[in-house]
Amino acid sequence: MNRDAFALVPGAGAELNHRMMDGGDRAPFLSGVLEGFYGRPWSHEQRQRLFVWMKAWGLNTYFYAPKDDLKHRADWRSCYASDELTVLESLVRECRGKGLRFVYGLGPGLDIIYSSEGTRETLLKRFRQLAGIGVTDFSLLFDDIPDTMLAQDRAVFDSFADAQATLSNEIWSVLRSECGGERFLFCPTPYCGRMERAQLGGKGYLDRLGERLDPSIDIFWTGPEIISSSIAEDHLAALAQTLRRPPLIWDNLHANDYDLRRLYTGPISGRPLDPKKHMAGILINPNCEFEANFVPIYSLAHYVQQGADYSPPRTFESGLEAWMEQFGGVGEPWTKEEVQLLASLYYLPFADGPDASRLLSDLRSIVQNGTEASHTARSRFDEWRQRIHSIALKLTELENRDLFYTFNRQWWEIREEMDLIARFLDHRQAHPGESILPRSPEHLPGTYRGGAIRVMQSLLEMNADGSFEGGRPVDV
Ligand code: GDL
């Protein structure tokens, strides 16, 4: 594994330079999928399909850490019942049977007592259950938890980082010596640049963690932000100095658990061109809706394998080609253009897909140009609308019902919005100069999108620079 870039980092200690140059005893580069979002975890069948995709595309790791699986976080203390363990065992078997690494994650941070002997035993008891069904890779996650210690912990540890590092080192040492542990991953409390600057976990948390956490443990990092539009090489190089190891990227680019009205179907982008030089690995934590993740996961594999030759637009194209197979149904076959339009309208958090940019620009100009809107603009609008309607129908015909349910609600809204704009344009054509559509039969007063949340969202409005503005009168 190439660590040359780190070896060149000036000022790194001799030990760090040595480790980064020859890789020390570090395990292989991790690439794959992290099920680490809030909300309903994926089903057994979905995970099985995931493993098939990952194997076909050459990814190597699946990380099990579903935030809202009861036993992952809220009830981290209980052991699995035997029927639960049987299901997990078959998942681990499926995963490893495809040649993939299965990492089991546990998030005990919400109410943990770091210094208690009982905590150590409880964690080990759970991990031993997993070791008993063949798991060799483990993780402790301390993200999204209170960053203060109880008095009894403060009496034992000099810092929050020390408390987490000491506990993790102890657990890892037992797992390695008694349970054939191969790899241990650690998610810190400040896991992005913004949190580090805000001194989450206390001043100097990362430095102390880098110093105290066993050097064979990998540390997760999401980039400058929780959702990072880009992650620069020098950002990672500087972080590697602090952590005394290259970070393992937890990539939230395609996560949508924080905004469930969105889906992200675009290719990974904005990451360093040579991932293996700057990271211990990269795992993506994608959409809650499993079926939306085909192109994102496909693109991750291409990104990791192609390095400097990786092109997001080209990969989007080839990813769509590959995705077409999932769109079989009872009606007319889907065209590539239809799948592309569907994916384009969701794409990425910081960019619209190619078709979406064209559609939105056409919509802005026809709605804002008033009565001057040309016949050509109107027929372009009608064409978009017709394509959107046709996709709405074809979604209902899909054999893969999960794929249908993934997009149906969102597409329904898009279709209805297009119909509303069409009504508005018809009205304006019939009453030149008027820019108010008096009523739409499908939109009775008080029934427009969003219910209570819409009122809440209208109280504070986000400006283009990210600031929020309040105080405008709201019609409730
Ligand atoms: C987070 C959570 C993650 C969640 C993501 C996106 C990390 C390390 N933790 O803060 O579980 O899915 O944001 O909302 O990213």
Side-chain angles (χ1 to χ4, degrees):
M1 165 176 191
N2 183 354
R3 301 271 177 202
D4 288 357
F6 291 103
L8 296 176
V9 174
E15 201 187 313
L16 170 65
N17 271 336
H18 171 74
R19 246 196 59 199
M20 289 185 161
M21 204 157 54
D22 66 5
D25 59 356
R26 291 186 71 77
F29 186 84
L30 300 182
S31 61
V33 176
L34 197 172
E35 189 177 336
F37 46 80
Y38 293 90
R40 183 193 289 271
W42 292 331
S43 68
H44 194 77
E45 290 66 34
Q46 289 171 330
R47 290 169 180 152
Q48 284 176 309
R49 295 188 54 222
L50 171 71
F51 301 155
V52 172
W53 295 351
M54 287 175 62
K55 180 178 182 203
W57 299 332
L59 295 166
N60 63 26
T61 301
Y62 166 71
F63 180 36
Y64 177 92
K67 280 276 188 304
D68 289 323
D69 174 310
L70 187 62
K71 291 217 164 116
H72 171 67
R73 227 159 106 96
D75 185 19
W76 61 271
R77 288 185 173 84
S78 307
C79 279
Y80 287 112
S82 67
D83 56 335
E84 292 171 325
L85 206 56
T86 306
V87 174
L88 267 176
E89 184 174 14
S90 97
L91 189 69
V92 174
R93 210 177 25 244
E94 294 274 349
C95 182
R96 298 179 64 134
K98 294 275 181 301
L100 307 170
R101 187 182 289 271
F102 182 98
V103 185
Y104 177 82
L106 192 55
L110 287 173
D111 57 355
I112 191 171
I113 305 172
Y114 293 96
S115 56
S116 125
E117 182 59 25
T119 298
R120 216 179 77 107
E121 286 317 308
T122 304
L123 291 173
L124 278 172
K125 213 167 161 193
R126 174 74 78 83
F127 282 143
R128 282 196 179 105
Q129 273 200 305
L130 274 298
I133 57 166
V135 173
T136 54
D137 302 281
F138 303 90
S139 175
L140 280 177
L141 297 96
F142 296 106
D143 55 327
D144 300 356
I145 57 165
D147 70 337
T148 46
M149 282 192 287
L150 300 171
Q152 64 198 100
D153 286 337
R154 280 202 306 275
V156 176
F157 301 112
D158 64 13
S159 65
F160 200 52
D162 186 32
Q164 293 178 346
T166 305
L167 178 66
S168 304
N169 290 345
E170 284 174 6
I171 300 284
W172 178 218
S173 152
V174 176
L175 291 175
R176 205 160 31 169
S177 61
E178 292 176 19
C179 305
E182 284 182 12
R183 197 118 180 204
F184 196 87
L185 318 181
F186 175 96
C187 186
T189 302
Y191 50 83
C192 67
R194 178 182 294 276
M195 293 178 178
E196 183 195 10
R197 283 196 304 282
Q199 299 191 348
L200 206 68
K203 193 161 184 274
Y205 171 102
L206 289 179
D207 188 47
R208 204 157 291 142
L209 185 72
E211 185 185 283
R212 304 209 174 155
L213 194 68
D214 184 309
S216 66
I217 296 180
D218 290 289
I219 303 178
F220 276 116
W221 189 252
T222 65
E225 303 286 344
I226 302 176
I227 319 291
S228 296
S229 64
S230 67
I231 303 179
E233 292 187 6
D234 51 359
H235 170 83
L236 295 180
L239 178 70
Q241 294 259 17
T242 309
L243 298 179
R244 282 84 161 166
R245 73 206 79 197
L248 170 59
I249 297 302
W250 169 314
D251 206 319
N252 283 324
L253 189 66
H254 297 92
N256 71 339
D257 53 0
Y258 60 93
D259 180 4
L260 286 168
R261 286 181 78 168
R262 300 200 58 170
L263 291 165
Y264 299 115
T265 54
I268 188 161
S269 59
R271 289 1 184 189
L273 288 181
D274 189 350
K276 292 183 183 157
K277 213 160 156 185
H278 301 280
M279 314 165 179
I282 177 165
L283 305 179
I284 60 169
N285 177 39
N287 296 282
C288 301
E289 293 83 353
F290 174 75
E291 295 292 340
N293 295 315
F294 187 96
V295 174
I297 299 170
Y298 172 96
S299 74
L300 174 74
H302 281 65
Y303 162 66
V304 170
Q305 285 148 22
Q306 295 176 344
D309 292 333
Y310 173 70
S311 148
R314 252 199 339 260
T315 306
F316 184 54
E317 283 290 315
S318 63
L320 292 179
E321 278 301 340
W323 201 17
M324 294 282 298
E325 225 178 80
Q326 315 280 322
F327 284 77
V330 294
E332 285 288 301
W334 285 65
T335 64
K336 168 102 184 279
E337 288 67 33
E338 286 167 334
V339 177
Q340 170 149 346
L341 177 55
L342 181 80
S344 268
L345 281 179
Y346 302 108
Y347 212 67
L348 290 172
F350 306 100
D352 292 318
D355 279 341
S357 306
R358 283 190 285 273
L359 168 65
L360 293 177
S361 142
D362 282 354
L363 291 182
R364 277 193 197 102
S365 93
I366 198 166
V367 172
Q368 287 162 4
N369 276 351
T371 42
E372 271 94 70
S374 67
H375 284 300
T376 333
R378 178 63 206 241
S379 52
R380 247 199 340 259
F381 169 84
D382 289 337
E383 210 177 294
W384 282 118
R385 184 165 163 240
Q386 188 276 324
R387 287 174 68 193
I388 285 169
H389 269 266
S390 154
I391 290 175
L393 174 69
K394 282 189 169 174
L395 280 170
T396 65
E397 297 168 345
L398 285 175
E399 219 160 274
N400 179 344
R401 299 318 275 172
D402 257 1
L403 187 59
F404 165 54
Y405 298 134
T406 294
F407 287 98
N408 179 46
R409 277 169 76 148
Q410 324 267 353
W411 204 258
W412 187 292
E413 278 199 66
I414 288 179
R415 191 196 61 198
E416 289 227 328
E417 239 32 64
M418 289 298 279
D419 289 352
L420 183 60
I421 295 172
R423 264 183 208 287
F424 172 80
L425 296 177
D426 290 345
H427 179 80
R428 195 171 60 185
Q429 206 172 353
H431 306 86
E434 262 190 45
S435 60
I436 292 186
L437 172 68
R439 279 287 280 270
S440 154
E442 281 91 30
H443 299 85
L444 300 179
T447 62
Y448 197 57
R449 308 268 167 263
I453 190 73
R454 195 176 84 84
V455 177
M456 292 162 83
Q457 284 173 342
S458 65
L459 295 174
L460 294 178
E461 227 175 87
M462 192 193 249
N463 296 318
D465 65 356
S467 59
F468 285 90
E469 200 170 327
R472 292 202 194 107
V474 180
D475 186 10
V476 205

